[in-house]
Amino acid sequence: MKKVLVTGGAGFLGSHLCDRLVEAGHDVLCVDNFFTGSKANIQHLLARPNFELMRHDVTFPLYVEVDEIYNLACPASPVHYQHDPVQTTKTSVHGAINMLGLAKRVKARILQASTSEVYGDPEVHPQPESYWGKVNPIGIRSCYDEGKRCAETLFFDYWRQHQLQIKVMRIFNTYGPNMNPHDGRVVSNFIVQALQGQPITIYGDGSQTRSFCYVDDLIEGMVRLMASPPEFTGPVNIGNPHEFTMLELAQLVLKLTGSRSELKFEPLPSDDPRQRRPDISLARASLGWEPAVQLESGLNRTIDYFRRRIQA
Ligand code: NAD
Ligand code: UDP
């Protein structure tokens, strides 16, 4: 069994990863500053002898002894990462430097939760890992996109310069239980609005597309990537290749919740990518991974979660 550090472990994806690693018997250290994460997501793990929680901001150095590091710390919702953009860049860049420094000192294998946002508003569709992207360096999404791109650069430089064992995972839009109801991302917004009978807020005309991966599929891909042979560094896309417009998503959420909420069209935020769909050929070939959960079934599980949260 390994000693595993999960940064951002109290967040949406981090909490599912902690669950998975604790169940597998690993000694898990969850580090989080609770900017967007919550203790409620990992409350049930606190009594487990192989789980430990530490409040810490990854922009500051961390001295612990571990075998593996999953670096997930970073707000992922545009609303939250744009709230304090300087801190967002620091979290991605200083956070990567600190975690890579830690990995180098203790000779740990380290995985970076990168993002499809490194492709920006893509001109190549679907996006393969070989595509370098089309990113605005000075826009309102840049703190996140460029922060994550710089983190990828640091990972590959530590790999070339210090022979670190790195794994870079480009995560496409993921949804599921433990998302913060006030997170601001599209799936949580639409479900919460539908359950509360509030208008469904569609930005722009709703023709922009995303491809939504259920969290269990995503965590399976993440764990497989960490366990992959040392020479496999990625970057590798992990996401669901079924693409939907935001209007289609809204209609599906209305159908599955039985809600009569109306659609409300609001201005499209600047630099909002028009389309996004992963090419997952590399994940299929190198990790034997592909998603198993269809959108309707994953949305039903997520709707159940938000129903319980809203009633509580
Ligand atoms: P989230 O906001 O729910 O979780 C992020 C966690 O990091 C939170 O618990 C937050 O409190 C913590 N955090 C933020 N700044 C920190 C700091 N400076 N120090 C310590 N902890 C800090 O988001 P998520 O959806 O769980 O995303 C996890 C990771 O995956 C992020 O790095 C994100 O960029 C990446 N990612 C997620 C998606 C997605 O669709 N969920 C897509 C692409 C990439
Ligand atoms: N969006 C929307 N209504 C909302 C929230 C988001 O129409 O209430 C749109 C947003 O403009 C984007 C897509 O949904 O085109 C996905 O947004 P999200 O914030 O979930 O993630 P992104 O992929 O943009 O980072």
Side-chain angles (χ1 to χ4, degrees):
M1 291 300 118
K2 298 194 175 85
K3 293 199 202 77
V4 187
L5 167 62
V6 180
T7 76
F12 161 47
L13 297 181
S15 57
H16 286 271
L17 178 64
C18 287
D19 274 342
R20 171 80 184 250
L21 296 171
V22 166
E23 283 313 318
H26 297 297
D27 211 343
V28 177
L29 173 59
C30 166
V31 161
D32 207 295
N33 72 349
F34 300 110
F35 175 51
T36 50
S38 108
K39 275 193 194 151
N41 282 344
I42 35 107
Q43 189 76 39
H44 59 288
L45 293 173
L46 293 174
R48 301 286 289 261
N50 57 335
F51 181 79
E52 197 180 346
L53 173 64
M54 184 194 285
R55 181 189 284 268
H56 174 81
D57 184 323
V58 295
T59 61
F60 296 97
L62 178 65
Y63 294 92
V64 291
E65 308 303 316
V66 289
D67 306 307
E68 289 181 348
I69 303 170
Y70 289 85
N71 188 35
L72 273 61
C74 186
S77 150
V79 175
H80 286 122
Y81 71 63
Q82 288 166 20
H83 170 74
D84 185 350
V86 173
Q87 174 67 10
T88 299
T89 303
K90 281 187 186 170
T91 294
S92 275
V93 178
H94 292 192
I97 291 171
N98 288 329
M99 292 310 114
L100 286 161
L102 170 63
K104 180 172 167 237
R105 183 175 67 79
V106 300
K107 299 189 172 50
R109 183 177 274 210
I110 180 165
L111 180 149
Q112 168 67 356
S114 190
T115 168
S116 52
E117 286 286 320
V118 300
Y119 302 122
D121 190 7
E123 295 150 309
V124 172
H125 194 71
Q127 294 80 53
E129 291 83 355
S130 54
Y131 176 50
W132 289 356
K134 181 182 164 232
V135 177
N136 176 358
I138 57 167
I140 57 171
R141 293 176 87 101
S142 312
C143 58
Y144 184 74
D145 300 9
E146 297 289 20
K148 290 284 187 179
R149 285 170 68 97
C150 183
E152 285 201 9
T153 307
L154 284 160
F155 268 68
F156 278 86
D157 282 332
Y158 267 78
W159 171 69
R160 275 185 289 263
Q161 202 173 329
H162 300 297
Q163 292 74 52
L164 233 64
Q165 282 196 40
I166 62 154
K167 308 281 175 190
V168 174
M169 172 172 180
R170 292 188 178 151
I171 302 171
F172 283 65
N173 296 62
T174 303
Y175 68 99
N178 294 7
M179 289 185 97
N180 182 335
H182 309 292
D183 184 76
R185 281 181 272 190
V186 70
V187 174
S188 44
N189 270 8
F190 285 4
I191 293 177
V192 171
Q193 290 161 346
L195 291 177
Q196 296 185 328
Q198 304 291 328
I200 307 282
T201 53
I202 299 199
Y203 302 160
D205 62 6
S207 63
Q208 70 272 33
T209 68
R210 296 291 187 273
S211 307
F212 298 102
C213 186
Y214 187 66
V215 61
D216 291 358
D217 284 333
L218 192 285
I219 298 298
E220 179 63 33
M222 194 179 270
V223 169
R224 282 192 196 202
L225 175 58
M226 183 61 108
S228 63
E231 60 278 10
F232 186 71
T233 57
V236 59
N237 292 336
I238 299 286
N240 191 314
H242 289 157
E243 188 179 357
F244 295 85
T245 66
M246 294 312 101
L247 262 182
E248 287 169 334
L249 177 70
Q251 273 144 7
L252 189 54
V253 168
L254 287 176
K255 184 183 104 180
L256 298 178
T257 52
S259 167
R260 295 166 63 171
S261 288
E262 61 186 38
L263 302 183
K264 184 173 169 216
F265 291 86
E266 294 190 354
L268 188 69
S270 67
D271 293 338
D272 199 290
R274 292 286 320 148
Q275 54 180 2
R276 186 182 287 156
R277 170 152 60 105
D279 176 334
I280 60 165
S281 318
L282 181 62
R284 279 200 183 100
S286 57
L287 306 175
W289 177 88
E290 64 181 348
V293 181
Q294 298 304 316
L295 185 61
E296 189 159 326
S297 138
L299 281 179
N300 275 327
R301 297 184 215 178
T302 313
I303 290 166
D304 285 347
Y305 166 78
F306 279 115
R307 236 189 215 119
R308 284 197 303 275
R309 277 217 48 172
I310 287 168
Q311 279 161 6

